[in-house]
């Protein structure tokens, strides 16, 4: 249970004064749905109103504050669409305040003639006269709550004004409870950091641009809190797993040797090394939780297969999970040639298995007649039971949630877990996303791959590109055509993809297909299968293209509005082609003119196909928050921490978290109690649940 002291923070933002349901929708878009989200939304800029020159010295275009006397009102004649003017002055000169569509009675009330007023806004020179249109503030200098000389500016969304957002955040801050310190006193002192409450206040009261920098002390303190919560949660989850002892799986190597002999290729050094790490883990009686990272086409499947063979050699079973039916079938097909030499039985279980046939499979699995089971989500179903499941391999892990990972590992007596991903993740990010796993990497590709000819072309050349694809299709080549990511709206994505589908149909007839995120899994699989069989020449897709699908005949990748995709995403998309004998190409269609970042991205893609290099560059270009793309879940998105700028803090948080768990594994000391609150504050309830009640 979340500590009651945090309740005010976890209330819905509609609990805040002045925030109704309509505003709540907008504020949720900008900050988040709960009060705590607003407190953790950092200002992105600051308005400095502290500059107070005389009217004569006031420069145009800069925000400033003037102390003036209201001389007279100059209302436009009735019915004329002229602005309302108020003439003011100080000892140095005159300034005219200008209001369009103003209400005279309101202006007369707040700017009575003869009164002194503080006004703030931007001055402009208009035909030689000084004027200020719609000042941001006009107040009595003796009024008790004068306007702030420094104003934080928050991220906004269409329809939400800076003032409304600022007020909501201010209200949210009022609800921040006083919490006991969870950070180590010595470390706080060494860093000269304030306590949580003070740091939070400081974050939201910037006075200079330096105060909103990622390096500002308050921001660093709060980022450290977030990173510590992340690292602590990961270590707790990992410890809970390791604590549940695994078993030592050691095969005699006979089946592996037989398959190795039958393979048409030799494993690369990277594959060999990763496999050795995996086999070591399996042989130890600690439970394996390992991530195998390797770029698309680096040959992860065969590594997983060898690990599965080791389990079978030891008399146990293995399961290999794929995110889609078609991928599961592909695994089965690619491994089928080796079943006889290894003398093993392999089967597949997917959502398509029904009734008696399914029951027969389940019986075989439970009896141990199936050595290696390849499957989809269907394997998670409760009635699927193994005789002795020793190894679970999850391919393309970001399609599966943590909960599914856990559900599957409950199907055996604490099976070893191998997770495989083709998303190369920079070291720094790997620590935050996968801190609960050991990591093996395959950094090279099998020899002999042809480079992919990558080009960029403006959208204006769309017709040329279509003609080129048509020529290739007439020769039997296949193409992927990825449609733009429009904002974050799936609906708009879809419209764009459907429009392209219609326009390409005119050229390609029924040899064009469409897959998108709103289709059911089996509809998607059907289209993908038709593509796989070569019945479709051009496959139009939103970004849902099945990760890992192998269509060796597909040699062309077109990405429309490539400037809207992240670097890593483009690399992933490009990795769909270049898998067969024929030369492949990737055409990045962009909307001119290209921004600097988009241009840099395209340049990097043209220069390299090394996924790790690309991932590092992506991180550098985009900042950590964006690297993995909004579409990919399962990775933490930090509110305040930035793994690039706060890299050192991340390393420190990692060490700190390790030490905490060594000394106080159940978080029972006073600091431990405070740390539980920290975990809840950053919504790591999953980690707290692994602790015994405090
Ligand atoms: P991924 O890592 O993307 O899952 P796969 O395991 O699907 O890659 O391998 C891609 C292709 O490379 C497959 O056709 C596979 O047979 C082949 N392959 C794997 N390892 C090697 C190797 N060492 N030498 C040559 N080809 C290999
Ligand atoms: Mg794969």
């Amino acid at each position: 249970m979340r500590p009651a002291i945090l309740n005010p923070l976890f209330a819905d933002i509609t609990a805040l004064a002045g925030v109704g349901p309509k505003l709540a929708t907008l504020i949720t878009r900008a900050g988040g749905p709960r009060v705590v989200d607003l407190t953790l939304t950092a200002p992105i800029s600051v308005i400095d109103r502290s500059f107070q020159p005389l009217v004569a010295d006031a420069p145009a275009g800069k925000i400033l504050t003037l102390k003036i006397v209201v001389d007279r009102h100059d209302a436009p004649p009735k019915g004329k669409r002229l602005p309302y003017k108020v003439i003011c002055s100080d000892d140095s000169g005159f300034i005219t305040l200008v209001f369009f569509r103003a209400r005279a009675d309101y202006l007369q009330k707040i700017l009575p003639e003869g009164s002194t007023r503080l006004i703030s806004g931007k001055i402009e020179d208009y035909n030689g006269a000084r004027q200020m249109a719609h000042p941001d503030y006009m107040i009595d200098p003796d009024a008790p709550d004068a306007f702030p000389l420094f104003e934080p500016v928050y991220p906004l969304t269409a329809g939400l004004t800076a003032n409304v957002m600022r007020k909501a955040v201010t209200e949210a801050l009022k609800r921040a409870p006083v919490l006991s310190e969870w950070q180590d006193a010595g470390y706080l002192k060494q860093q000269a950091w304030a306590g949580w409450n003070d740091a939070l206040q400081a974050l939201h009261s910037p006075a200079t641009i330096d105060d909103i920098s990622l390096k500002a002390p308050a921001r660093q303190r709060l980022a450290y809190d977030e990173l510590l919560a992340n690292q602590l949660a990961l270590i707790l989850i990992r410890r809970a797993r390791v604590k549940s002892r695994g078993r030592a799986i050691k095969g005699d190597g006979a089946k592996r040797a037989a398959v190795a002999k039958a393979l048409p290729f030799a494993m690369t050094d990277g594959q060999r090394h990763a496999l050795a790490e995996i086999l070591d883990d399996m042989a130890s009686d600690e439970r394996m939780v390992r991530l195998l990272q390797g770029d698309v086409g680096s040959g992860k499947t065969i590594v997983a297969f060898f690990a599965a063979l080791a389990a079978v050699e030891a008399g146990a079973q293995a399961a290999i999970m794929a995110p889609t039916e078609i991928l599961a079938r592909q695994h089965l097909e690619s491994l089928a040639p080796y079943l006889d030499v290894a003398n093993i039985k392999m089967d597949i279980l997917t959502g398509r298995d029904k009734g008696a046939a399914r029951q027969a499979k389940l019986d075989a699995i439970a009896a141990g007649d199936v050595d290696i089971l390849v499957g989809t989500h269907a394997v998670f179903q409760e009635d699927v039971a193994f005789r002795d499941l020793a190894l679970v391999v999850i391919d393309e892990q970001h399609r599966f949630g943590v909960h599914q990972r856990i559900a599957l590992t409950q199907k055996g007596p604490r099976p070893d877990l191998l997770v495989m991903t083709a998303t190369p993740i920079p070291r720094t990010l790997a620590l935050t996303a996968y801190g609960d796993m050991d990591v093996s990497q395959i950094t090279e590709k099998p020899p002999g791959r042809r480079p992919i000819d990558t080009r960029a072309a403006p959208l204006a050349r769309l017709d040329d590109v279509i003609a080129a694809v048509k020529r290739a299709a007439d020769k039997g080549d296949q193409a992927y055509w990825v449609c733009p990511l429009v904002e974050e709206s799936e609906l708009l994505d879809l419209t764009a993809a459907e429009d392209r589908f219609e326009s390409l149909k005119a050229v390609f007839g029924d040899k064009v297909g469409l897959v998108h995120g709103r289709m059911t899994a089996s509809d998607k699989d059907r289209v993908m299968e038709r593509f796989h069989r070569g019945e479709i020449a051009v496959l139009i897709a939103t970004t849902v293209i099945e990760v890992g699908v192998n269509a060796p005949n597909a040699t062309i990748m077109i990405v429309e509005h490539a400037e809207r995709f992240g670097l890593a995403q483009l690399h992933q998309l490009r990795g769909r082609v270049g898998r067969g004998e024929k030369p492949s190409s990737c055409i990045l269609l962009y909307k001119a003119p290209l921004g600097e970042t988009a241009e840099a991205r395209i340049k990097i893609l043209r220069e390299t196909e090394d996924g790790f290099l690309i991932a590092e560059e992506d991180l550098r270009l985009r900042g950590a928050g964006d690297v993995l793309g909004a579409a990919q879940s399962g990775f933490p998105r930090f509110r305040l921490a930035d793994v690039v700028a706060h890299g050192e803090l991340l390393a420190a948080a990692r060490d700190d978290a390790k030490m905490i768990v060594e000394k106080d594994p159940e978080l029972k000391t006073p600091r431990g109690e405070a740390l539980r609150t920290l975990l809840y504050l950053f919504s790591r309830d999953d980690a707290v649940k692994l602790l015994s009640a405090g």
Side-chain angles (χ1 to χ4, degrees), residues 255-279 292 298-310 335 338 442 444-447:
K255 292 184 190 298
R256 279 169 280 160
V259 173
K261 240 204 247 155
L263 276 183
F265 51 76
M267 282 205 207
T268 62
D269 287 345
Q271 285 171 312
R272 240 188 284 277
H273 188 70
L275 180 60
E277 286 177 332
I278 293 163
L279 293 175
L292 175 58
S298 60
K300 296 183 293 294
T301 315
I302 205 76
V303 173
F305 185 51
F306 271 60
L309 288 175
L335 300 176
Y338 310 110
I442 307 179
E444 78 218 292
K445 284 204 188 153

Side-chain angles (χ1 to χ4, degrees), residues 290-567:
R290 185 170 280 279
L291 176 77
L292 175 58
Q293 260 186 288
D295 216 343
V296 278
S298 60
K300 296 183 293 294
T301 315
I302 205 76
V303 173
F305 185 51
F306 271 60
L309 288 175
V312 179
E313 283 165 7
Q317 292 166 291
I320 301 179
M321 305 291 301
T324 63
E325 160 124 22
I326 183 152
L327 276 172
R329 278 190 199 290
Q330 260 178 35
H331 282 327
L332 193 70
E333 271 165 39
S334 67
L335 300 176
Y338 310 110
L339 300 185
D340 281 348
V341 293
N343 190 23
I344 55 167
K345 288 229 170 60
M346 208 159 141
D347 209 342
I348 182 169
L349 186 72
T350 75
R352 279 197 208 171
D353 293 300
K354 299 260 154 64
R358 175 170 184 273
Q359 191 54 48
K361 281 189 185 183
L362 297 192
D363 293 344
I365 296 162
D369 293 340
V370 174
D371 299 307
I372 300 177
L373 180 69
V374 178
T376 59
H377 289 78
V379 179
F380 294 122
Q381 280 157 17
E382 242 172 67
D383 59 348
V384 181
F386 290 79
R387 183 181 63 81
D388 184 13
L389 181 63
L391 172 70
V392 172
V393 180
I394 299 187
D395 196 4
E396 310 298 356
Q397 85 109 27
H398 51 267
R399 296 294 190 90
F400 292 106
V402 173
H403 300 291
Q404 286 173 317
R405 251 193 252 164
I406 292 167
L408 195 63
T409 51
Q410 280 161 355
K411 291 205 177 283
R414 303 195 202 89
D416 285 325
L417 176 64
L418 178 66
V419 172
M420 306 200 289
T421 178
T423 312
I425 296 176
R427 284 211 160 273
T428 35
L429 266 190
L431 205 58
T432 63
Y434 297 126
D436 61 334
M437 299 191 231
D438 296 305
V439 179
S440 295
Q441 293 182 337
I442 307 179
T443 48
E444 78 218 292
K445 284 204 188 153
R449 292 281 158 86
R450 284 165 173 268
I452 299 166
D453 180 17
T454 303
R455 294 166 190 226
L459 273 166
R461 291 194 39 210
L462 184 66
D463 289 342
D464 296 344
V465 171
I466 292 176
V469 173
K470 177 81 171 104
R471 282 193 300 274
D474 288 343
K475 283 190 302 187
D477 289 350
Q478 288 177 288
Y480 292 100
W481 191 297
V482 178
C483 277
L485 194 71
V486 184
E487 310 267 303
E488 292 201 347
S489 154
E490 218 185 318
L491 198 65
L492 289 179
D493 277 7
L494 191 53
T495 319
E498 277 170 345
D499 286 351
R500 182 59 65 222
F501 179 59
E502 289 306 324
S503 70
L504 289 188
K505 238 191 193 159
V507 181
F508 294 92
D510 61 358
K511 298 208 75 169
V512 45
L514 171 67
V515 281
H516 58 75
R518 295 227 166 164
M519 287 162 75
T520 65
S522 62
D523 281 350
K524 255 189 277 179
D525 278 351
R526 250 191 296 284
V527 178
M528 294 304 299
E529 245 174 69
R530 285 184 56 214
F531 186 58
H532 196 53
R533 284 201 298 265
E535 294 165 21
I536 290 174
V538 182
L539 181 68
I540 297 165
T542 52
T543 38
V544 301
I545 292 195
E546 301 308 299
V547 185
V549 154
N550 208 8
N553 224 19
T555 52
I556 303 167
M557 168 60 67
I558 313 274
V559 183
E560 237 183 276
H561 280 294
E563 76 280 0
R564 293 183 187 161
F565 291 90
L567 191 46

Side-chain angles (χ1 to χ4, degrees), residues 134-157:
H134 295 266
D136 301 330
Y137 291 98
M138 301 174 275
I139 60 153
D140 183 341
D142 299 327
D145 51 350
F147 56 82
L149 288 181
F150 303 97
E151 279 177 359
V153 179
Y154 295 97
L156 296 176
T157 187

Side-chain angles (χ1 to χ4, degrees), residues 522-639:
S522 62
D523 281 350
K524 255 189 277 179
D525 278 351
R526 250 191 296 284
V527 178
M528 294 304 299
E529 245 174 69
R530 285 184 56 214
F531 186 58
H532 196 53
R533 284 201 298 265
E535 294 165 21
I536 290 174
V538 182
L539 181 68
I540 297 165
T542 52
T543 38
V544 301
I545 292 195
E546 301 308 299
V547 185
V549 154
N550 208 8
N553 224 19
T555 52
I556 303 167
M557 168 60 67
I558 313 274
V559 183
E560 237 183 276
H561 280 294
E563 76 280 0
R564 293 183 187 161
F565 291 90
L567 191 46
Q569 246 177 328
L570 289 174
H571 173 66
Q572 285 287 315
L573 291 172
R574 179 173 61 177
R576 301 298 109 217
V577 297
R579 302 186 149 209
E581 305 284 299
K582 292 197 219 167
S584 297
S585 57
C586 172
I587 300 174
L588 305 170
L589 281 171
Y590 63 85
K591 183 169 189 286
L594 270 186
E596 221 172 281
T597 309
E599 198 172 320
R601 273 188 211 140
I602 289 177
K603 183 161 173 282
I604 293 160
L605 277 174
R606 294 200 52 170
E607 282 168 2
T608 181
E609 281 182 45
D610 178 338
F612 283 91
L613 196 71
I614 288 173
E616 295 288 349
E617 288 295 314
D618 198 17
L619 186 60
R620 207 175 49 75
L621 282 174
R622 297 181 62 162
D626 279 339
V627 167
L628 299 152
Q632 293 186 10
S633 55
F635 298 100
R637 277 174 158 262
F638 292 114
R639 307 295 309 250

Side-chain angles (χ1 to χ4, degrees), residues 16 40 49 57 59-60 130 150 157 173 240 242 252 285 291 310-311 327 353 463 505 531 623 631 657 689:
L16 298 173
L40 300 179
R49 302 188 186 279
D57 305 331
R130 329 228 68 194
F150 303 97
T157 187
L173 284 175
V242 173
D252 60 7
D285 64 1
L291 176 77
L327 276 172
D353 293 300
D463 289 342
K505 238 191 193 159
F531 186 58
K689 289 207 180 85

Side-chain angles (χ1 to χ4, degrees), residues 103-120:
R103 280 182 35 216
D105 50 347
Y106 167 73
L107 288 176
Q108 265 148 11
K109 194 168 130 228
I110 62 164
L111 296 170
E113 285 181 5
S115 66
T116 301
R117 286 290 177 263
L118 278 176
I119 61 165
S120 188

